[in-house]
Amino acid sequence: MEIITGDIQIAIPPCAATIGCFDGVHRGHRYLIGQVCQEAAQRGLSSVLITFPVHPRQVMQSDYRPQLLSCLQQKTDLLQQQPADYCIMLPFTRELSMLSAYEFMRLLRDRYQVKVLVIGYDHRFGHNRSEGFEDYCRYGRELGMEIVHARALVEDELSISSSTIRNLLKLGEVERANHFLGYRYYLDGVVVDGYKVGRTLGFPTANLQPSCPDKLIPAEGVYAVYAYVKGRRYAGMLNIGHRPTVDNGNDLSIEAHILDFSDNIYNRYLRIEFMHFIRPEQKFGNLEALRAQLRNDRETVARLLP
């Protein structure tokens, strides 16, 4: 696949295309991409994905903070693994947001030679997103563009979508979220200094500062995770929360105790993959009670991630 950014001019052959944010590039997205590639192959066209490097609402609302499943680099990496011929990173601007659906479709036809537009089952576009699939079909007939309504990927009576996966992560249901994603959800970033309370309890932790501030942080609680340090994978237990036993205040901590690991990794890159939710965060009466629970958590992680 060739990635085309907004400042690169390239002559794209006549194509079948789809448009979307593709946040997470999950199994539902890959099912849609497969349909685009199939429609293109049947007509002898190129296949094109059109997406945005910045979430459209961030352009319209400067204080909006999306809870992303994938930041731009991860999304780009995942899209490059797909079988489509091109991916266009279309800069979303206020001018673009003011286009009607008809005007936007005309832009796709004239600038990118879109002959077939595959519309996601729940996707709407154009100013105010007030028009629907029947309108797109009518505009397509006027513009000489064929419109195809994509099928949804449904499992467990749920359409696999970014919003469905976000809701699962907010509930701590990381196993189902991973199944719908088609890969393990992760946070990555740099290890920073913490309060070092874990070290006094015999459970030293690596405090993660996420590299992508707009990426969704799963529900507070304790998780069995895989930690990747210096190219190696380790089992670990991760706590997300406010550490009520040691009165951490309103500061949210993301701290991992890595099993069978003792190296100093301050200021090092760390990647955490979520595997299982173990328990909610809770307040203990004293540090000894907390230490006893941490021992139990470590045994649970060792059993789940042998």
Side-chain angles (χ1 to χ4, degrees):
M1 175 190 287
E2 183 171 357
I3 302 290
I4 302 170
T5 59
D7 56 354
I8 294 178
Q9 297 298 318
I10 185 171
I12 295 177
C15 64
T18 192
I19 183 167
C21 286
F22 293 106
D23 184 25
V25 195
H26 49 69
R27 290 175 53 225
H29 290 140
R30 296 200 285 276
Y31 186 65
L32 168 62
I33 293 168
Q35 294 175 67
V36 174
C37 292
Q38 183 179 42
E39 297 291 341
Q42 290 174 350
R43 296 163 176 79
L45 301 172
S46 295
S47 52
V48 173
L49 312 179
I50 301 171
T51 189
F52 310 105
V54 178
H55 194 287
R57 280 187 63 182
Q58 285 182 290
V59 175
M60 306 306 295
Q61 302 170 236
S62 59
D63 60 345
Y64 175 70
R65 290 293 173 264
Q67 294 183 307
L68 298 174
L69 299 175
S70 57
C71 52
L72 180 59
Q73 186 58 58
Q74 182 191 2
K75 182 170 84 168
T76 302
D77 292 344
L78 289 167
L79 286 171
Q80 284 186 307
Q81 299 171 22
Q82 306 311 309
D85 297 310
Y86 300 93
C87 176
I88 298 168
M89 293 285 180
L90 181 64
F92 192 86
T93 63
R94 289 188 176 273
E95 292 73 22
L96 190 67
S97 74
M98 297 305 296
L99 296 180
S100 67
Y102 179 87
E103 292 168 331
F104 183 67
M105 290 171 63
R106 185 171 60 192
L107 180 149
L108 296 182
R109 182 197 66 180
D110 295 346
R111 184 181 298 179
Y112 300 115
Q113 294 206 67
V114 176
K115 304 299 183 183
V116 178
L117 183 62
V118 181
I119 306 291
Y121 73 97
D122 63 347
H123 189 67
R124 287 175 178 256
F125 56 85
H127 184 58
N128 292 331
R129 300 174 65 181
S130 58
E131 295 145 305
F133 184 74
E134 294 304 320
D135 298 304
Y136 306 149
C137 290
R138 186 171 71 256
Y139 302 153
R141 287 191 291 271
E142 296 177 22
L143 293 167
M145 180 187 295
E146 185 180 355
I147 308 300
V148 176
H149 207 176
R151 303 178 301 279
L153 180 59
V154 179
E155 286 188 9
D156 302 328
E157 300 182 351
L158 286 174
S159 296
I160 297 180
S161 67
S162 298
S163 58
T164 296
I165 295 168
R166 286 190 201 97
N167 290 335
L168 290 171
L169 291 170
K170 290 176 183 179
L171 293 171
E173 296 186 28
V174 293
E175 292 175 64
R176 291 186 72 199
N178 288 347
H179 176 64
F180 285 174
L181 282 167
Y183 57 88
R184 298 164 183 161
Y185 189 73
Y186 72 86
L187 295 175
D188 65 352
V190 174
V191 177
V192 297
D193 270 326
Y195 294 103
K196 300 182 174 62
V197 175
R199 188 174 301 277
T200 66
L201 296 172
F203 291 86
T205 59
N207 292 270
L208 182 70
Q209 180 175 293
S211 59
C212 179
D214 290 329
K215 194 167 184 182
L216 185 149
I217 297 173
E220 295 181 17
V222 178
Y223 295 84
V225 300
Y226 280 124
Y228 291 80
V229 185
K230 303 176 185 177
R232 291 190 60 186
R233 188 181 80 176
Y234 300 86
M237 55 189 195
L238 180 82
N239 184 78
I240 298 175
H242 297 85
R243 306 193 307 173
T245 305
V246 295
D247 193 21
N248 198 49
N250 293 323
D251 294 334
L252 184 72
S253 297
I254 306 171
E255 50 184 344
H257 172 69
I258 305 173
L259 276 61
D260 304 317
F261 184 84
S262 58
D263 291 1
N264 183 339
I265 55 172
Y266 287 119
N267 299 315
R268 293 271 190 167
Y269 173 83
L270 175 67
R271 171 169 166 160
I272 298 292
E273 290 182 346
F274 291 81
M275 299 299 294
H276 306 280
F277 181 82
I278 296 177
R279 62 174 176 85
E281 186 177 50
Q282 60 191 104
K283 182 173 183 176
F284 296 92
N286 52 60
L287 291 180
E288 188 53 45
L290 173 58
R291 182 185 286 113
Q293 181 60 59
L294 292 175
R295 292 193 194 102
N296 291 336
D297 294 340
R298 183 165 57 189
E299 290 175 3
T300 299
V301 168
R303 185 175 67 253
L304 290 171
L305 305 177

